[in-house]
Amino acid sequence: MLYICHNQCNKDKIINIPMMNNKQRKYEITFLMVTSLFVTLLNNLPYYSLYFISSDKYKGPELTITEMIYHISWYTLQCFFSVIIIAFLNYFLMKVLFPKILSLVLRYGILVFLNIVLTFLLLMVSLSLSEIIIGFKYGEGFAMKFYVWKYIYLTPLSVLMAYILNLIIRKRIIERKNERLIQENLTSQLKALKDQIKPHFLFNTLNTLSSVIRNDTKESGLNFVDDLAVVYRYILDKSNEDVVKVSVELDFAKSYIRILEKRYGKSLEINVSIESKYEKYSIPPSTFLLLIENALKHNELSKTNALVVNIYIEENYLVVSNNILPKEEKTPGLGIGLQNLSKRYLILTDREIVIKKEKNMFIVRLPMIK
């Protein structure tokens, strides 16, 4: 289950996830720097151990402390810069070459050729600088073999580092693309579900309005129109919000309940009992409308046998219950309202609404969103 709204989602907006940004560049640079440093330290452990070898066991050319520091510093810097140069070049070459429409053989062929050229250039530069900085204590031939063997394993390690980083970044990009597509899809679904409310409620209230105009006083008709305007304004204003405060929903419910009282008279009784401490919680907009409309659709109302709807809080759940008054012609399924609300909760949170029947009561429990 994908969890989108941890606390409160206010807008129906698609989150724009950039495929390349400063954070990702910092991650790339940090990864290559840290791994290059690790390879360097690992490669130079034998040289660092010279500090701990007694002079009688040391069989190399005699070195003063200053010369030893120069040697170790040179080997460290030479190795670090060689590794990082090869790794950076390979990583950014992979980014350029791999997405292109080139054959696999050609892509890897280019990389191998460039790495051979780069390794040769680094070898020559290392030998030249080595002669200037620390000299050839064992001779130039020995130094050449030493650096050649060094690059034989340093170059593949550096290329491997670049390849691993390339795989990590490509995986992150794919994950971000998938996340964006999922959010776009969920946003579209949520908008479609919200749009179902308007025609469903409009169909029921227009019939009632027509009856009020014909049979009631002018003042009664105007009051009904005012309440109807409040209800529609609420539906339109909150259509771009995924959740609203319970206090806001309660204000809307007052006008909505007055419309229902005019529509059904004594055949319908709605009791709302919600303590003020719960008004800071959130629920999807028009929750009361959907649940009450669902109860009205599936029950047979009469003056002698009224439908009683109770709305209250129990263990951080918003509970809406009603007595069951079976219709002679049963309406199949849960109805638009309850299906709508159930899907919206699945989209908005990782928790589901609870629906059950017990002792001739139909009960819906909705988790309160903090």
Side-chain angles (χ1 to χ4, degrees):
M1 179 70 64
L2 179 65
Y3 189 73
I4 297 176
C5 298
H6 296 282
N7 291 315
Q8 180 170 338
C9 304
N10 292 320
K11 300 295 179 184
D12 252 347
K13 291 182 179 178
I14 297 171
I15 298 174
N16 183 24
I17 303 172
M19 293 299 105
M20 171 61 72
N21 51 31
N22 291 333
K23 187 176 180 180
Q24 183 168 304
R25 291 191 186 95
K26 288 179 182 178
Y27 178 84
E28 293 169 341
I29 294 170
T30 302
F31 180 91
L32 292 176
M33 294 283 285
V34 171
T35 50
S36 296
L37 183 60
F38 176 76
V39 170
T40 298
L41 295 175
L42 197 64
N43 174 74
N44 288 288
L45 279 178
Y47 309 122
Y48 303 144
S49 66
L50 293 176
Y51 281 116
F52 307 101
I53 297 176
S54 59
S55 56
D56 57 326
K57 293 182 179 179
Y58 178 64
K59 297 181 180 180
E62 293 185 6
L63 298 173
T64 64
I65 295 296
T66 303
E67 288 177 326
M68 188 179 294
I69 291 173
Y70 279 146
H71 276 69
I72 293 174
S73 299
W74 160 249
Y75 290 138
T76 300
L77 291 173
Q78 182 270 334
C79 182
F80 177 75
F81 282 108
S82 295
V83 171
I84 206 165
I85 288 170
I86 297 171
F88 263 97
L89 178 69
N90 277 273
Y91 175 67
F92 289 105
L93 276 175
M94 288 177 188
K95 287 180 65 175
V96 173
L97 292 175
F98 280 27
K100 303 299 181 182
I101 305 175
L102 297 172
S103 68
L104 192 64
V105 174
L106 185 58
R107 279 182 288 179
Y108 281 104
I110 293 172
L111 281 176
V112 170
F113 174 75
L114 290 176
N115 276 298
I116 290 173
V117 172
L118 179 62
T119 302
F120 177 77
L121 292 174
L122 288 172
L123 174 63
M124 294 296 103
V125 171
S126 295
L127 283 169
S128 300
L129 292 176
S130 178
E131 184 178 11
I132 297 170
I133 296 172
I134 62 173
F136 296 138
K137 292 285 184 179
Y138 291 95
E140 188 174 354
F142 180 85
M144 171 64 80
K145 292 179 182 179
F146 170 78
Y147 285 110
V148 168
W149 280 107
K150 197 172 185 180
Y151 279 109
I152 284 176
Y153 64 83
L154 282 184
T155 298
L157 274 176
S158 305
V159 174
L160 180 61
M161 286 163 43
Y163 184 71
I164 291 172
L165 177 59
N166 186 63
L167 290 179
I168 292 171
I169 296 299
R170 287 171 67 187
K171 181 176 179 290
R172 286 163 64 111
I173 290 174
I174 291 171
E175 288 174 349
R176 289 178 180 181
K177 285 182 178 179
N178 289 339
E179 182 182 347
R180 185 177 63 182
L181 290 173
I182 289 170
Q183 290 182 357
E184 289 175 353
N185 183 44
L186 292 179
T187 301
S188 299
Q189 289 183 43
L190 189 57
K191 185 178 184 303
L193 290 171
K194 288 176 181 176
D195 289 342
Q196 288 181 4
I197 298 172
K198 299 167 191 174
H200 179 62
F201 180 66
L202 178 63
F203 177 78
N204 291 327
T205 52
L206 286 181
N207 287 333
T208 306
L209 177 60
S210 177
S211 175
V212 170
I213 292 173
R214 287 192 182 95
N215 303 320
D216 289 10
T217 64
K218 180 180 178 181
E219 184 179 356
S220 178
L222 290 174
N223 289 336
F224 185 88
V225 170
D226 288 341
D227 285 330
L228 187 59
V230 170
V231 170
Y232 267 99
R233 190 181 302 116
Y234 176 85
I235 293 174
L236 293 173
D237 288 346
K238 303 305 176 184
S239 62
N240 289 327
E241 297 187 25
D242 296 333
V243 293
V244 296
K245 296 292 183 184
V246 170
S247 57
V248 176
E249 181 78 1
L250 284 172
D251 289 339
F252 149 77
K254 294 174 183 177
S255 294
Y256 171 60
I257 290 172
R258 282 196 293 268
I259 290 175
L260 295 179
E261 289 173 347
K262 180 63 68 176
R263 179 175 160 191
Y264 292 102
K266 295 182 179 180
S267 300
L268 175 65
E269 179 184 338
I270 300 176
N271 304 308
V272 180
S273 178
I274 297 178
E275 297 178 37
S276 58
K277 66 179 181 179
Y278 293 108
E279 293 183 2
K280 63 183 178 181
Y281 287 75
S282 299
I283 57 176
S286 304
T287 293
F288 293 160
L289 184 153
L290 291 170
L291 289 173
I292 296 172
E293 288 289 323
N294 181 75
L296 294 170
K297 180 179 179 181
H298 291 270
N299 291 279
E300 190 74 51
L301 281 69
S302 67
K303 293 180 180 179
T304 57
N305 203 4
L307 177 68
V308 180
V309 179
N310 295 306
I311 302 173
Y312 55 96
I313 304 294
E314 186 177 81
E315 297 177 351
N316 286 334
Y317 276 83
L318 174 66
V319 182
V320 179
S321 65
N322 64 269
N323 54 327
I324 298 174
L325 304 173
K327 284 186 174 182
E328 292 183 5
E329 294 183 7
K330 292 184 178 180
T331 305
L334 294 176
I336 292 175
L338 206 52
Q339 287 182 357
N340 183 303
L341 191 60
S342 178
K343 288 179 181 177
R344 287 167 70 186
Y345 256 94
L346 287 175
I347 291 172
L348 290 170
T349 73
D350 61 346
R351 304 167 70 187
E352 298 183 0
I353 67 175
V354 179
I355 304 168
K356 62 180 179 179
K357 292 182 181 180
E358 57 180 33
K359 297 180 180 179
N360 294 321
M361 294 292 292
F362 186 82
I363 303 171
V364 181
R365 294 165 59 87
L366 302 97
M368 302 286 282
I369 302 171
K370 290 187 178 181

